């Protein structure tokens, strides 16, 4: 039997005094933060765009929407096989190079990899006709050739993010004999039936006449492209602004938020030809998954991919759900193939604290033995 001792009057009085002190401290902290929010909100109104993509690099080649860059080495010893990263045509590549310490590119350089990257600029009106084959059978092989010439190596590891992974998959499926040594994809869609909201938005039965739309606009405006992504999570921008207001007192949070916000705001326009082909062949016919896709007169069969393959999938990806991404590894003809599913979303898989702890080390572990 436990006997509880009665509290003395002094002990009973002590607790309210401690609670009062805690309450006063909390109130003081909230007042300080409220003052900081007010000051910071005024500062943000006239603030210059936050700096991103600062890892030293050289532009090797630029042609219209295409830009090929080579990052400067940051290790004394460099792996033999260079990496060529292909970004999605809808987004700038600085999501992979936000700031020192939060840059996948910087991490790879520090591990000893020779890193090249295909970034995209807004297409001009003269490039409105560009299609999937121009990217997968034109830009990518041309950049691979330039990487070979610049590095002096014939082997190249191709790394594609989202639609950049789709284009890399199309390239590799139509060039099974090389020169790509390894294929790595991040959150790459294959089964477009599983991208249900995108399919609904692009469904001809819903009244969307893609031919008429492309004929009218030529180059699909960035606002239209961004609206498609926003429709997947319509409250995300409002929720983001609320989180920003709550944390305006925190300089590090504000800097990180502004970097991500800048990336989201710099969504790129798309060539009308590429957009039309994506809607008609991928969204409506699911031709990549079905094996009926033909680009530049070449059939695209994922089974033709024989090189070592690694695919990272985000468990909570709202843009490319896991079900849309799984078939890449399942269909590939590679004997050496790996699918890694990690907690996180479409962006946090590759950028941010979780990426630093999970994806980056896993990528390095897979690459190191295949890059010699």
């Amino acid at each position: 039997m436990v006997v509880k001792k009665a509290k003395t009057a002094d002990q009973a009085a002590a607790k309210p005094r401690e609670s009062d002190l805690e309450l006063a401290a909390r109130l003081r902290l909230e007042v300080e933060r409220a003052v900081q929010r007010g000051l910071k909100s005024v500062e943000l109104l006239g603030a210059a765009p936050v700096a991103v993509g600062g890892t030293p690099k050289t532009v090797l080649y630029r042609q219209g929407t295409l830009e090929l860059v080579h990052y400067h080495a940051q290790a004394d010893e460099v792996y033999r096989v260079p990496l060529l990263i292909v970004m999605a045509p809808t987004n700038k590549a600085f999501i992979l190079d936000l700031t020192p310490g939060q840059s996948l590119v910087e991490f790879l350089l520090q591990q000893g990899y020779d890193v090249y990257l295909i970034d995209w600029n807004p297409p001009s009106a003269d490039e409105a006709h560009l299609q999937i084959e121009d990217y997968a059978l034109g830009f990518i092989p041309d950049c691979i050739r330039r990487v070979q010439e610049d590095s002096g190596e014939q082997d190249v590891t191709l790394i594609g993010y989202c639609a950049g992974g789709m284009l890399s998959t199309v390239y590799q499926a139509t060039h099974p004999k090389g020169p790509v040594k390894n294929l790595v994809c991040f959150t790459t869609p294959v089964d477009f039936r599983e991208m249900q909201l995108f399919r609904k938005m692009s469904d001809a039965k819903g009244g969307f006449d893609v031919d008429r739309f492309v004929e009218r606009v030529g180059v699909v405006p960035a606002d239209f492209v961004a609206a498609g992504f926003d429709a997947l999570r319509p409250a995300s921008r409002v929720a983001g602004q609320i989180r920003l207001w709550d944390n305006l007192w925190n300089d590090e949070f504000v800097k990180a938020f502004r970097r991500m916000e800048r990336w989201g705001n710099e969504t790129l326009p798309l060539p009308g030809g590429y957009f039309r082909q994506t809607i008609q062949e991928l969204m409506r016919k699911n031709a990549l998954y079905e094996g009926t896709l033909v680009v530049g007169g070449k059939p695209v069969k994922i089974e033709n991919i024989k090189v070592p393959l690694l695919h990272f999938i985000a468990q909570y990806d709202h843009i490319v759900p896991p079900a849309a991404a799984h078939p890449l590894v399942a269909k590939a003809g590679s004997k050496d193939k790996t699918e890694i599913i990690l907690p996180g979303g479409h962006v946090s898989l590759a950028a941010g604290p979780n990426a630093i702890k999970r994806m980056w080390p896993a990528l390095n572990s897979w690459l190191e033995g295949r890059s010699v």
Side-chain angles (χ1 to χ4, degrees), residues 117 134 144 207 212 230 233 273 275 287 295 339 353:
L117 182 144
D134 293 295
I144 288 175
R212 183 178 179 183
D230 288 345
R233 285 188 173 177
F275 180 78
V295 296
E339 178 183 279

Side-chain angles (χ1 to χ4, degrees), residues 155-195:
D155 292 333
V156 175
T157 291
L158 192 60
I159 301 177
Y161 188 2
C162 187
M166 181 272 291
L167 294 171
S168 300
T169 296
V170 171
Y171 165 80
Q172 189 57 36
T174 53
H175 295 77
K177 295 183 180 180
V180 167
K181 186 176 188 291
N182 309 294
L183 176 62
V184 179
C185 292
F186 307 157
T187 64
T188 293
V190 171
D191 188 353
F192 285 79
R193 292 174 306 181
E194 301 297 335
M195 300 176 69

Side-chain angles (χ1 to χ4, degrees), residues 250-313:
N250 184 332
D251 287 343
E252 288 306 311
F253 179 93
V254 172
K255 289 177 183 177
F257 180 91
R258 293 186 65 215
R259 292 186 197 104
M260 296 299 292
E261 183 182 47
R262 176 175 175 179
W263 182 73
N265 289 340
E266 293 188 20
T267 300
L268 296 173
L270 284 174
Y274 175 92
F275 180 78
R276 176 196 281 120
Q277 201 173 19
T278 299
I279 296 299
Q280 292 178 338
E281 297 296 323
L282 302 183
M283 290 292 178
R284 294 178 179 174
K285 297 179 182 178
N286 204 19
L288 180 59
Y289 176 81
E290 297 293 343
T292 57
L293 181 64
V294 177
V295 296
K298 295 184 176 183
V300 181
K301 305 287 186 182
I302 296 177
E303 294 83 358
N304 288 341
I305 296 175
K306 308 292 185 182
V307 298
L309 169 65
L310 172 64
H311 191 191
F312 284 104
I313 295 175

Side-chain angles (χ1 to χ4, degrees), residues 94-147:
F94 66 75
I95 189 64
L96 303 179
D97 185 29
L98 288 172
T99 192
Q102 297 180 40
S103 166
L104 173 59
V105 168
E106 177 192 60
F107 170 80
L108 291 170
L109 292 169
Q110 291 173 351
Q111 304 312 305
Y113 297 100
D114 191 9
V115 182
Y116 296 78
L117 182 144
I118 295 176
D119 202 1
W120 307 105
N121 298 308
S124 66
D126 292 338
E127 294 175 308
H129 66 281
L130 294 178
Q131 298 187 358
I132 290 174
E133 48 259 43
D134 293 295
Y135 288 82
L137 306 187
F139 292 142
I140 290 179
D142 181 50
C143 287
I144 288 175
R145 179 181 59 80
R146 293 175 186 277
V147 169

